[in-house]
Amino acid sequence: MLVTILYVDPANPTMMASFKRFIHKVSTEEMEKSGAILKESGKVYIDHSYFLDSTVAKTFLEFYQKEQPITCEIDGYGDFLRPLGPDSTTEYFSNKTNVVKWDGSATSVRKKLYHLLKDTPARALLLNQGAFVHFGTTTEYLEHLCHSSFVKEACLFTNEASVKYTGRSTAVQDKETTEPASKVAFQNIVPNSSVVMLSSLDRSAFISEGTVVEMATIEDNVTIGESCIISNVHLKSGLTVPNGSYIHTVAIELNKKKLFVTFAFGVEDDLKAKLPREKAGSLHYCGIDIDSASKKLCRSCPDSIWPKE
């Protein structure tokens, strides 16, 4: 993200600032023209992440419900952030650059989004002594959230955030103490190397080391293995999730019906791996080749799930 900052204090390692305009994938000349290059250092502020609150999320939902179906390609950096700031411009409405497949409705949708988001309050969190940390893979996600002390300290991450506990409390009580359980410290069921956020968690659940649980409901006696990512799912009572599992649910609409699709694979699986068709069955799924996995899941499956032609 490149922004024209109204005020910068380089001596301050982290500061909140207002900005005039967001520009996206532009030339050095346009950076200079828009004032994105800091005169003192010749540096620019590039994109890191963006966050929105529930009010903005509701605005997007209402927009989609009104405008659906949306058939054109839109995205956060190219379309959602461009309207922000008092000096935002509109020349990008018909810009086909960086669009994989252009749809004739894109100009109209971008224009509507611009007027919808134009006056949305926005601030930039400047990391003047920041470092580039990539969250692009499942293993990187686990490493940075669960194990990297640098990321935890720099971003003030905790291992619990907005967690609602349910079920009976489990207290840690020394055999020699005479204190009643109600006065004894409750056992922390989230290990220091794991993260639970925006979730409902039963106190009888067991979460192993190095695991991330987000936007999930975890019922009683659920066991989640090591190095897992559990996202946007409801795990029923007594379920066990194997080590190294990735489980994530998204909502979709098909024929005007709301449905849910759950993705499940191993965090170490290479989802971009490519092999010739005759060898495709040897691609790995949760640590074993896909042909073997299909036979375990379906006894009547053919020798290979891949068509010969």
Side-chain angles (χ1 to χ4, degrees), residues 66-132:
K66 179 181 178 182
E67 301 295 332
Q68 64 178 313
I70 296 176
T71 58
C72 62
E73 178 185 327
I74 55 176
D75 66 83
Y77 293 100
D79 301 297
F80 300 159
L81 301 183
R82 295 287 277 271
L84 304 181
D87 291 352
S88 62
T89 58
T90 61
E91 81 286 344
Y92 69 93
F93 287 174
S94 56
N95 188 344
K96 301 179 182 180
T97 307
N98 302 313
V99 176
V100 176
K101 184 178 181 181
W102 181 257
D103 183 287
S105 64
T107 299
S108 174
V109 172
R110 285 176 172 178
K111 184 176 180 180
K112 291 176 181 179
L113 279 170
Y114 178 85
H115 291 292
L116 179 71
L117 302 172
K118 178 74 172 70
D119 298 321
T120 302
R123 303 272 280 171
L125 178 62
L126 308 183
L127 306 177
N128 292 319
Q129 297 179 13
F132 180 75

Short mmCIF file of all heavy atoms in Angstrom, two decimals, residues 66-132:
data_model
loop_
_atom_site.label_atom_id
_atom_site.label_comp_id
_atom_site.label_asym_id
_atom_site.label_seq_id
_atom_site.Cartn_x
_atom_site.Cartn_y
_atom_site.Cartn_z
N LYS A 66 -27.56 -6.33 -2.34
CA LYS A 66 -28.28 -5.44 -3.25
C LYS A 66 -27.82 -5.62 -4.69
O LYS A 66 -28.64 -5.58 -5.62
CB LYS A 66 -28.04 -3.98 -2.82
CG LYS A 66 -28.73 -2.96 -3.72
CD LYS A 66 -28.44 -1.54 -3.25
CE LYS A 66 -29.07 -0.52 -4.17
NZ LYS A 66 -28.76 0.88 -3.73
N GLU A 67 -26.52 -5.85 -4.90
CA GLU A 67 -25.96 -5.86 -6.26
C GLU A 67 -25.77 -7.25 -6.85
O GLU A 67 -25.44 -7.36 -8.04
CB GLU A 67 -24.61 -5.14 -6.25
CG GLU A 67 -24.65 -3.71 -5.79
CD GLU A 67 -25.44 -2.82 -6.73
OE1 GLU A 67 -25.49 -3.15 -7.94
OE2 GLU A 67 -25.99 -1.80 -6.27
N GLN A 68 -25.96 -8.30 -6.08
CA GLN A 68 -25.69 -9.65 -6.57
C GLN A 68 -26.56 -9.98 -7.80
O GLN A 68 -27.68 -9.47 -7.91
CB GLN A 68 -25.93 -10.67 -5.46
CG GLN A 68 -27.37 -10.75 -4.97
CD GLN A 68 -27.52 -11.80 -3.90
OE1 GLN A 68 -27.06 -12.93 -4.02
NE2 GLN A 68 -28.20 -11.44 -2.82
N PRO A 69 -26.03 -10.79 -8.70
CA PRO A 69 -24.69 -11.40 -8.65
C PRO A 69 -23.63 -10.44 -9.17
O PRO A 69 -23.86 -9.69 -10.11
CB PRO A 69 -24.83 -12.60 -9.58
CG PRO A 69 -25.84 -12.15 -10.60
CD PRO A 69 -26.82 -11.27 -9.84
N ILE A 70 -22.46 -10.45 -8.51
CA ILE A 70 -21.33 -9.66 -8.97
C ILE A 70 -20.43 -10.58 -9.78
O ILE A 70 -19.87 -11.54 -9.25
CB ILE A 70 -20.57 -9.05 -7.78
CG1 ILE A 70 -21.48 -8.06 -7.03
CG2 ILE A 70 -19.30 -8.34 -8.26
CD1 ILE A 70 -20.87 -7.47 -5.79
N THR A 71 -20.32 -10.30 -11.07
CA THR A 71 -19.60 -11.21 -11.97
C THR A 71 -18.19 -10.73 -12.31
O THR A 71 -17.43 -11.47 -12.92
CB THR A 71 -20.39 -11.38 -13.27
OG1 THR A 71 -20.57 -10.08 -13.88
CG2 THR A 71 -21.76 -12.00 -13.00
N CYS A 72 -17.85 -9.51 -11.92
CA CYS A 72 -16.54 -8.98 -12.27
C CYS A 72 -15.53 -9.23 -11.15
O CYS A 72 -15.90 -9.57 -10.02
CB CYS A 72 -16.62 -7.48 -12.55
SG CYS A 72 -17.16 -6.51 -11.12
N GLU A 73 -14.28 -9.06 -11.46
CA GLU A 73 -13.20 -9.26 -10.49
C GLU A 73 -12.98 -7.98 -9.69
O GLU A 73 -12.67 -6.93 -10.24
CB GLU A 73 -11.91 -9.65 -11.22
CG GLU A 73 -10.71 -9.82 -10.30
CD GLU A 73 -9.44 -10.09 -11.09
OE1 GLU A 73 -9.54 -10.74 -12.15
OE2 GLU A 73 -8.37 -9.65 -10.64
N ILE A 74 -13.14 -8.06 -8.37
CA ILE A 74 -12.83 -6.94 -7.48
C ILE A 74 -11.99 -7.47 -6.33
O ILE A 74 -12.05 -8.64 -5.99
CB ILE A 74 -14.11 -6.25 -6.95
CG1 ILE A 74 -15.01 -7.26 -6.24
CG2 ILE A 74 -14.85 -5.52 -8.04
CD1 ILE A 74 -16.24 -6.63 -5.62
N ASP A 75 -11.19 -6.58 -5.73
CA ASP A 75 -10.34 -7.03 -4.63
C ASP A 75 -10.10 -5.89 -3.65
O ASP A 75 -10.42 -4.72 -3.92
CB ASP A 75 -9.01 -7.56 -5.16
CG ASP A 75 -8.16 -6.48 -5.79
OD1 ASP A 75 -7.45 -5.77 -5.05
OD2 ASP A 75 -8.20 -6.32 -7.03
N GLY A 76 -9.51 -6.24 -2.51
CA GLY A 76 -9.32 -5.28 -1.44
C GLY A 76 -8.40 -4.12 -1.81
O GLY A 76 -8.75 -2.95 -1.66
N TYR A 77 -7.20 -4.45 -2.30
CA TYR A 77 -6.23 -3.40 -2.58
C TYR A 77 -6.60 -2.58 -3.81
O TYR A 77 -6.45 -1.36 -3.82
CB TYR A 77 -4.84 -4.02 -2.77
CG TYR A 77 -4.28 -4.64 -1.52
CD1 TYR A 77 -4.35 -6.01 -1.30
CD2 TYR A 77 -3.71 -3.85 -0.53
CE1 TYR A 77 -3.85 -6.58 -0.14
CE2 TYR A 77 -3.20 -4.40 0.63
CZ TYR A 77 -3.28 -5.77 0.82
OH TYR A 77 -2.79 -6.31 1.98
N GLY A 78 -7.10 -3.24 -4.83
CA GLY A 78 -7.40 -2.53 -6.07
C GLY A 78 -8.70 -1.76 -6.05
O GLY A 78 -8.87 -0.79 -6.80
N ASP A 79 -9.65 -2.17 -5.20
CA ASP A 79 -10.99 -1.57 -5.26
C ASP A 79 -11.52 -1.07 -3.91
O ASP A 79 -12.17 -0.03 -3.86
CB ASP A 79 -11.98 -2.60 -5.82
CG ASP A 79 -11.59 -3.07 -7.21
OD1 ASP A 79 -11.57 -2.22 -8.13
OD2 ASP A 79 -11.28 -4.25 -7.38
N PHE A 80 -11.27 -1.77 -2.83
CA PHE A 80 -11.82 -1.36 -1.54
C PHE A 80 -11.05 -0.21 -0.90
O PHE A 80 -11.63 0.65 -0.22
CB PHE A 80 -11.84 -2.53 -0.55
CG PHE A 80 -12.66 -3.71 -1.01
CD1 PHE A 80 -12.45 -4.97 -0.49
CD2 PHE A 80 -13.65 -3.56 -1.97
CE1 PHE A 80 -13.20 -6.06 -0.90
CE2 PHE A 80 -14.40 -4.65 -2.41
CZ PHE A 80 -14.17 -5.90 -1.86
N LEU A 81 -9.74 -0.17 -1.11
CA LEU A 81 -8.92 0.86 -0.48
C LEU A 81 -8.78 2.12 -1.33
O LEU A 81 -8.48 3.20 -0.81
CB LEU A 81 -7.53 0.31 -0.16
CG LEU A 81 -7.47 -0.89 0.78
CD1 LEU A 81 -6.03 -1.28 1.06
CD2 LEU A 81 -8.19 -0.62 2.09
N ARG A 82 -9.01 2.00 -2.61
CA ARG A 82 -8.82 3.14 -3.51
C ARG A 82 -9.73 4.34 -3.18
O ARG A 82 -9.34 5.48 -3.38
CB ARG A 82 -9.03 2.72 -4.96
CG ARG A 82 -8.01 1.73 -5.48
CD ARG A 82 -6.65 2.37 -5.73
NE ARG A 82 -6.59 3.02 -7.00
CZ ARG A 82 -6.20 2.43 -8.14
NH1 ARG A 82 -5.86 1.16 -8.15
NH2 ARG A 82 -6.15 3.12 -9.26
N PRO A 83 -10.97 4.13 -2.71
CA PRO A 83 -11.82 5.30 -2.41
C PRO A 83 -11.43 6.05 -1.14
O PRO A 83 -11.96 7.13 -0.88
CB PRO A 83 -13.22 4.66 -2.23
CG PRO A 83 -13.13 3.32 -2.85
CD PRO A 83 -11.72 2.88 -2.63
N LEU A 84 -10.51 5.50 -0.34
CA LEU A 84 -10.21 6.09 0.96
C LEU A 84 -9.30 7.30 0.84
O LEU A 84 -8.45 7.38 -0.04
CB LEU A 84 -9.57 5.02 1.87
CG LEU A 84 -10.38 3.75 2.07
CD1 LEU A 84 -9.64 2.79 2.99
CD2 LEU A 84 -11.77 4.05 2.62
N GLY A 85 -9.47 8.23 1.78
CA GLY A 85 -8.66 9.44 1.80
C GLY A 85 -9.32 10.59 1.08
O GLY A 85 -10.03 10.39 0.09
N PRO A 86 -9.08 11.83 1.54
CA PRO A 86 -9.75 13.00 0.95
C PRO A 86 -9.34 13.30 -0.48
O PRO A 86 -10.07 13.96 -1.21
CB PRO A 86 -9.34 14.15 1.90
CG PRO A 86 -8.07 13.67 2.54
CD PRO A 86 -8.22 12.19 2.69
N ASP A 87 -8.15 12.81 -0.91
CA ASP A 87 -7.68 13.09 -2.27
C ASP A 87 -7.81 11.88 -3.19
O ASP A 87 -7.12 11.79 -4.22
CB ASP A 87 -6.22 13.54 -2.24
CG ASP A 87 -6.05 14.91 -1.61
OD1 ASP A 87 -7.08 15.57 -1.34
OD2 ASP A 87 -4.90 15.31 -1.36
N SER A 88 -8.68 10.94 -2.86
CA SER A 88 -8.86 9.76 -3.70
C SER A 88 -9.36 10.17 -5.08
O SER A 88 -10.07 11.15 -5.24
CB SER A 88 -9.83 8.78 -3.05
OG SER A 88 -11.11 9.37 -2.90
N THR A 89 -8.98 9.38 -6.09
CA THR A 89 -9.33 9.70 -7.47
C THR A 89 -10.15 8.57 -8.09
O THR A 89 -10.29 7.49 -7.52
CB THR A 89 -8.06 9.93 -8.31
OG1 THR A 89 -7.25 8.75 -8.25
CG2 THR A 89 -7.26 11.11 -7.77
N THR A 90 -10.67 8.84 -9.29
CA THR A 90 -11.60 7.88 -9.91
C THR A 90 -11.10 7.34 -11.25
O THR A 90 -11.83 6.63 -11.93
CB THR A 90 -12.97 8.54 -10.13
OG1 THR A 90 -12.81 9.67 -11.02
CG2 THR A 90 -13.57 9.02 -8.82
N GLU A 91 -9.86 7.64 -11.63
CA GLU A 91 -9.40 7.25 -12.96
C GLU A 91 -9.25 5.73 -13.11
O GLU A 91 -9.17 5.21 -14.22
CB GLU A 91 -8.06 7.93 -13.29
CG GLU A 91 -6.82 7.28 -12.69
CD GLU A 91 -6.68 7.53 -11.19
OE1 GLU A 91 -7.36 8.44 -10.67
OE2 GLU A 91 -5.90 6.81 -10.55
N TYR A 92 -9.25 5.01 -12.00
CA TYR A 92 -9.05 3.56 -12.06
C TYR A 92 -10.32 2.79 -12.43
O TYR A 92 -10.27 1.58 -12.65
CB TYR A 92 -8.53 3.04 -10.72
CG TYR A 92 -9.53 3.10 -9.59
CD1 TYR A 92 -10.35 2.02 -9.29
CD2 TYR A 92 -9.69 4.26 -8.84
CE1 TYR A 92 -11.28 2.07 -8.27
CE2 TYR A 92 -10.61 4.33 -7.81
CZ TYR A 92 -11.40 3.24 -7.53
OH TYR A 92 -12.32 3.30 -6.51
N PHE A 93 -11.45 3.45 -12.51
CA PHE A 93 -12.73 2.76 -12.76
C PHE A 93 -12.65 1.83 -13.98
O PHE A 93 -13.16 0.72 -13.95
CB PHE A 93 -13.86 3.77 -12.98
CG PHE A 93 -14.32 4.47 -11.73
CD1 PHE A 93 -15.25 5.48 -11.79
CD2 PHE A 93 -13.83 4.11 -10.48
CE1 PHE A 93 -15.69 6.14 -10.65
CE2 PHE A 93 -14.25 4.75 -9.33
CZ PHE A 93 -15.18 5.78 -9.42
N SER A 94 -12.01 2.29 -15.04
CA SER A 94 -11.96 1.51 -16.28
C SER A 94 -10.56 0.97 -16.57
O SER A 94 -10.28 0.55 -17.70
CB SER A 94 -12.44 2.35 -17.46
OG SER A 94 -11.68 3.54 -17.57
N ASN A 95 -9.70 0.96 -15.56
CA ASN A 95 -8.33 0.48 -15.74
C ASN A 95 -8.31 -1.06 -15.72
O ASN A 95 -8.68 -1.69 -14.72
CB ASN A 95 -7.44 1.03 -14.62
CG ASN A 95 -5.97 0.74 -14.85
OD1 ASN A 95 -5.61 -0.12 -15.66
ND2 ASN A 95 -5.12 1.45 -14.13
N LYS A 96 -7.86 -1.66 -16.83
CA LYS A 96 -7.85 -3.11 -16.95
C LYS A 96 -6.53 -3.74 -16.50
O LYS A 96 -6.40 -4.96 -16.50
CB LYS A 96 -8.13 -3.51 -18.40
CG LYS A 96 -9.47 -3.02 -18.94
CD LYS A 96 -9.66 -3.44 -20.38
CE LYS A 96 -10.97 -2.91 -20.94
NZ LYS A 96 -11.17 -3.32 -22.36
N THR A 97 -5.57 -2.91 -16.11
CA THR A 97 -4.28 -3.42 -15.68
C THR A 97 -4.43 -4.27 -14.41
O THR A 97 -5.20 -3.92 -13.51
CB THR A 97 -3.31 -2.25 -15.39
OG1 THR A 97 -3.26 -1.40 -16.53
CG2 THR A 97 -1.92 -2.76 -15.08
N ASN A 98 -3.70 -5.35 -14.34
CA ASN A 98 -3.68 -6.25 -13.17
C ASN A 98 -5.00 -7.00 -12.97
O ASN A 98 -5.22 -7.57 -11.89
CB ASN A 98 -3.34 -5.48 -11.89
CG ASN A 98 -2.01 -4.77 -11.99
OD1 ASN A 98 -1.03 -5.35 -12.42
ND2 ASN A 98 -1.98 -3.50 -11.59
N VAL A 99 -5.87 -7.00 -13.97
CA VAL A 99 -7.11 -7.76 -13.90
C VAL A 99 -6.95 -9.03 -14.73
O VAL A 99 -6.59 -8.97 -15.91
CB VAL A 99 -8.31 -6.94 -14.43
CG1 VAL A 99 -9.57 -7.79 -14.43
CG2 VAL A 99 -8.51 -5.69 -13.58
N VAL A 100 -7.19 -10.18 -14.12
CA VAL A 100 -7.00 -11.45 -14.82
C VAL A 100 -8.00 -11.59 -15.96
O VAL A 100 -7.65 -11.94 -17.09
CB VAL A 100 -7.15 -12.63 -13.83
CG1 VAL A 100 -7.05 -13.96 -14.58
CG2 VAL A 100 -6.08 -12.55 -12.75
N LYS A 101 -9.27 -11.31 -15.69
CA LYS A 101 -10.31 -11.41 -16.70
C LYS A 101 -11.25 -10.22 -16.57
O LYS A 101 -11.92 -10.06 -15.55
CB LYS A 101 -11.09 -12.72 -16.55
CG LYS A 101 -12.13 -12.95 -17.63
CD LYS A 101 -12.84 -14.28 -17.46
CE LYS A 101 -13.87 -14.51 -18.55
NZ LYS A 101 -14.59 -15.80 -18.38
N TRP A 102 -11.27 -9.38 -17.59
CA TRP A 102 -12.08 -8.17 -17.54
C TRP A 102 -13.54 -8.46 -17.83
O TRP A 102 -13.88 -9.20 -18.75
CB TRP A 102 -11.56 -7.14 -18.53
CG TRP A 102 -12.33 -5.86 -18.52
CD1 TRP A 102 -13.27 -5.46 -19.43
CD2 TRP A 102 -12.24 -4.83 -17.55
NE1 TRP A 102 -13.78 -4.24 -19.08
CE2 TRP A 102 -13.17 -3.81 -17.92
CE3 TRP A 102 -11.50 -4.64 -16.39
CZ2 TRP A 102 -13.35 -2.65 -17.19
CZ3 TRP A 102 -11.67 -3.48 -15.66
CH2 TRP A 102 -12.58 -2.50 -16.06
N ASP A 103 -14.41 -7.89 -17.01
CA ASP A 103 -15.85 -8.03 -17.17
C ASP A 103 -16.43 -6.64 -17.42
O ASP A 103 -16.03 -5.67 -16.77
CB ASP A 103 -16.46 -8.66 -15.91
CG ASP A 103 -17.95 -8.90 -16.04
OD1 ASP A 103 -18.72 -7.92 -16.01
OD2 ASP A 103 -18.36 -10.07 -16.16
N GLY A 104 -17.38 -6.55 -18.32
CA GLY A 104 -17.94 -5.25 -18.67
C GLY A 104 -18.59 -4.52 -17.52
O GLY A 104 -18.73 -3.29 -17.56
N SER A 105 -18.98 -5.24 -16.48
CA SER A 105 -19.65 -4.60 -15.35
C SER A 105 -18.67 -4.01 -14.34
O SER A 105 -19.08 -3.37 -13.37
CB SER A 105 -20.55 -5.61 -14.63
OG SER A 105 -19.78 -6.68 -14.07
N ALA A 106 -17.36 -4.22 -14.52
CA ALA A 106 -16.37 -3.81 -13.53
C ALA A 106 -16.39 -2.29 -13.29
O ALA A 106 -16.31 -1.84 -12.15
CB ALA A 106 -14.97 -4.24 -13.98
N THR A 107 -16.50 -1.52 -14.36
CA THR A 107 -16.50 -0.06 -14.21
C THR A 107 -17.66 0.40 -13.34
O THR A 107 -17.50 1.23 -12.45
CB THR A 107 -16.58 0.61 -15.60
OG1 THR A 107 -15.45 0.24 -16.37
CG2 THR A 107 -16.62 2.12 -15.46
N SER A 108 -18.84 -0.15 -13.59
CA SER A 108 -20.02 0.23 -12.82
C SER A 108 -19.89 -0.18 -11.35
O SER A 108 -20.21 0.60 -10.45
CB SER A 108 -21.27 -0.43 -13.43
OG SER A 108 -22.41 -0.20 -12.62
N VAL A 109 -19.39 -1.39 -11.10
CA VAL A 109 -19.24 -1.87 -9.73
C VAL A 109 -18.20 -1.04 -8.98
O VAL A 109 -18.40 -0.66 -7.82
CB VAL A 109 -18.85 -3.36 -9.71
CG1 VAL A 109 -18.50 -3.81 -8.30
CG2 VAL A 109 -19.99 -4.21 -10.26
N ARG A 110 -17.09 -0.73 -9.63
CA ARG A 110 -16.06 0.10 -8.99
C ARG A 110 -16.60 1.48 -8.64
O ARG A 110 -16.30 2.03 -7.58
CB ARG A 110 -14.86 0.24 -9.93
CG ARG A 110 -14.00 -1.00 -10.01
CD ARG A 110 -12.89 -0.81 -11.03
NE ARG A 110 -11.93 -1.91 -10.99
CZ ARG A 110 -10.88 -2.02 -11.80
NH1 ARG A 110 -10.68 -1.09 -12.74
NH2 ARG A 110 -10.05 -3.04 -11.69
N LYS A 111 -17.40 2.03 -9.54
CA LYS A 111 -17.99 3.35 -9.28
C LYS A 111 -18.92 3.30 -8.07
O LYS A 111 -18.89 4.19 -7.20
CB LYS A 111 -18.75 3.82 -10.51
CG LYS A 111 -19.32 5.22 -10.39
CD LYS A 111 -19.98 5.66 -11.69
CE LYS A 111 -20.55 7.07 -11.57
NZ LYS A 111 -21.19 7.52 -12.84
N LYS A 112 -19.74 2.27 -7.98
CA LYS A 112 -20.66 2.14 -6.84
C LYS A 112 -19.88 1.93 -5.53
O LYS A 112 -20.24 2.51 -4.50
CB LYS A 112 -21.61 0.97 -7.08
CG LYS A 112 -22.61 1.21 -8.19
CD LYS A 112 -23.47 -0.02 -8.45
CE LYS A 112 -24.46 0.22 -9.58
NZ LYS A 112 -25.28 -1.00 -9.86
N LEU A 113 -18.82 1.13 -5.58
CA LEU A 113 -18.00 0.92 -4.39
C LEU A 113 -17.31 2.21 -3.97
O LEU A 113 -17.19 2.49 -2.76
CB LEU A 113 -16.95 -0.17 -4.65
CG LEU A 113 -17.41 -1.61 -4.54
CD1 LEU A 113 -16.33 -2.56 -5.06
CD2 LEU A 113 -17.78 -1.96 -3.10
N TYR A 114 -16.88 2.98 -4.93
CA TYR A 114 -16.21 4.25 -4.63
C TYR A 114 -17.13 5.17 -3.83
O TYR A 114 -16.75 5.71 -2.77
CB TYR A 114 -15.77 4.93 -5.91
CG TYR A 114 -15.11 6.27 -5.70
CD1 TYR A 114 -13.75 6.35 -5.41
CD2 TYR A 114 -15.85 7.45 -5.75
CE1 TYR A 114 -13.14 7.58 -5.20
CE2 TYR A 114 -15.25 8.68 -5.54
CZ TYR A 114 -13.89 8.75 -5.26
OH TYR A 114 -13.30 9.97 -5.04
N HIS A 115 -18.34 5.35 -4.31
CA HIS A 115 -19.28 6.25 -3.63
C HIS A 115 -19.75 5.65 -2.30
O HIS A 115 -20.09 6.39 -1.37
CB HIS A 115 -20.46 6.56 -4.55
CG HIS A 115 -20.09 7.41 -5.73
ND1 HIS A 115 -19.71 8.72 -5.61
CD2 HIS A 115 -20.01 7.10 -7.05
CE1 HIS A 115 -19.43 9.21 -6.81
NE2 HIS A 115 -19.61 8.25 -7.71
N LEU A 116 -19.75 4.34 -2.20
CA LEU A 116 -20.14 3.68 -0.95
C LEU A 116 -19.09 3.88 0.14
O LEU A 116 -19.42 4.10 1.31
CB LEU A 116 -20.35 2.18 -1.20
CG LEU A 116 -20.75 1.33 0.01
CD1 LEU A 116 -22.18 1.63 0.44
CD2 LEU A 116 -20.60 -0.15 -0.33
N LEU A 117 -17.81 3.83 -0.25
CA LEU A 117 -16.72 3.83 0.73
C LEU A 117 -16.01 5.18 0.85
O LEU A 117 -15.15 5.33 1.73
CB LEU A 117 -15.69 2.76 0.36
CG LEU A 117 -16.22 1.33 0.28
CD1 LEU A 117 -15.14 0.41 -0.29
CD2 LEU A 117 -16.67 0.84 1.65
N LYS A 118 -16.36 6.14 0.01
CA LYS A 118 -15.63 7.40 -0.08
C LYS A 118 -15.41 8.08 1.27
O LYS A 118 -14.33 8.58 1.57
CB LYS A 118 -16.38 8.36 -1.01
CG LYS A 118 -15.76 9.74 -1.16
CD LYS A 118 -14.51 9.68 -2.02
CE LYS A 118 -13.99 11.06 -2.33
NZ LYS A 118 -13.40 11.75 -1.16
N ASP A 119 -16.40 8.12 2.11
CA ASP A 119 -16.30 8.84 3.38
C ASP A 119 -16.02 7.93 4.57
O ASP A 119 -16.19 8.35 5.72
CB ASP A 119 -17.60 9.63 3.62
CG ASP A 119 -17.84 10.68 2.54
OD1 ASP A 119 -16.86 11.31 2.12
OD2 ASP A 119 -19.00 10.86 2.13
N THR A 120 -15.59 6.70 4.31
CA THR A 120 -15.28 5.78 5.40
C THR A 120 -14.01 6.24 6.12
O THR A 120 -12.97 6.44 5.48
CB THR A 120 -15.05 4.35 4.86
OG1 THR A 120 -16.22 3.93 4.18
CG2 THR A 120 -14.74 3.39 6.00
N PRO A 121 -14.06 6.45 7.43
CA PRO A 121 -12.85 6.87 8.17
C PRO A 121 -11.76 5.81 8.04
O PRO A 121 -12.02 4.62 8.14
CB PRO A 121 -13.35 6.97 9.62
CG PRO A 121 -14.84 7.11 9.52
CD PRO A 121 -15.23 6.32 8.30
N ALA A 122 -10.55 6.25 7.80
CA ALA A 122 -9.44 5.30 7.64
C ALA A 122 -8.16 5.91 8.20
O ALA A 122 -7.93 7.13 8.09
CB ALA A 122 -9.25 4.95 6.17
N ARG A 123 -7.34 5.07 8.79
CA ARG A 123 -6.06 5.50 9.35
C ARG A 123 -4.99 4.49 8.94
O ARG A 123 -5.30 3.32 8.67
CB ARG A 123 -6.13 5.58 10.87
CG ARG A 123 -7.22 6.49 11.39
CD ARG A 123 -6.75 7.91 11.53
NE ARG A 123 -5.96 8.08 12.75
CZ ARG A 123 -5.28 9.18 13.04
NH1 ARG A 123 -5.24 10.17 12.17
NH2 ARG A 123 -4.60 9.27 14.16
N ALA A 124 -3.76 4.94 8.90
CA ALA A 124 -2.64 4.06 8.57
C ALA A 124 -1.77 3.87 9.81
O ALA A 124 -1.42 4.84 10.49
CB ALA A 124 -1.81 4.67 7.45
N LEU A 125 -1.45 2.64 10.10
CA LEU A 125 -0.53 2.32 11.19
C LEU A 125 0.87 2.20 10.58
O LEU A 125 1.16 1.26 9.86
CB LEU A 125 -0.92 1.01 11.87
CG LEU A 125 0.00 0.54 13.00
CD1 LEU A 125 0.02 1.55 14.14
CD2 LEU A 125 -0.45 -0.82 13.52
N LEU A 126 1.71 3.18 10.86
CA LEU A 126 3.04 3.24 10.26
C LEU A 126 4.04 2.49 11.13
O LEU A 126 4.15 2.74 12.32
CB LEU A 126 3.49 4.69 10.10
CG LEU A 126 2.52 5.64 9.39
CD1 LEU A 126 3.15 7.01 9.24
CD2 LEU A 126 2.13 5.07 8.03
N LEU A 127 4.75 1.57 10.52
CA LEU A 127 5.78 0.79 11.22
C LEU A 127 7.14 1.30 10.74
O LEU A 127 7.73 0.77 9.81
CB LEU A 127 5.60 -0.70 10.93
CG LEU A 127 4.21 -1.27 11.21
CD1 LEU A 127 4.14 -2.73 10.81
CD2 LEU A 127 3.85 -1.10 12.68
N ASN A 128 7.62 2.33 11.40
CA ASN A 128 8.86 2.98 10.96
C ASN A 128 10.10 2.11 11.17
O ASN A 128 11.14 2.37 10.58
CB ASN A 128 9.03 4.31 11.68
CG ASN A 128 7.97 5.32 11.26
OD1 ASN A 128 7.65 5.43 10.08
ND2 ASN A 128 7.42 6.05 12.21
N GLN A 129 9.97 1.14 12.03
CA GLN A 129 11.08 0.21 12.24
C GLN A 129 10.58 -1.21 11.99
O GLN A 129 10.95 -2.15 12.68
CB GLN A 129 11.65 0.35 13.65
CG GLN A 129 12.27 1.72 13.92
CD GLN A 129 12.80 1.86 15.33
OE1 GLN A 129 12.94 0.89 16.06
NE2 GLN A 129 13.11 3.09 15.72
N GLY A 130 9.72 -1.34 11.00
CA GLY A 130 9.07 -2.61 10.72
C GLY A 130 9.96 -3.58 9.96
O GLY A 130 11.04 -3.23 9.48
N ALA A 131 9.48 -4.79 9.84
CA ALA A 131 10.15 -5.84 9.07
C ALA A 131 9.10 -6.56 8.24
O ALA A 131 7.93 -6.63 8.63
CB ALA A 131 10.86 -6.82 10.00
N PHE A 132 9.52 -7.09 7.10
CA PHE A 132 8.58 -7.79 6.23
C PHE A 132 8.40 -9.22 6.73
O PHE A 132 9.35 -9.99 6.84
CB PHE A 132 9.10 -7.81 4.79
CG PHE A 132 8.19 -8.52 3.84
CD1 PHE A 132 7.01 -7.94 3.40
CD2 PHE A 132 8.49 -9.80 3.40
CE1 PHE A 132 6.17 -8.58 2.53
CE2 PHE A 132 7.64 -10.47 2.53
CZ PHE A 132 6.48 -9.86 2.09
#
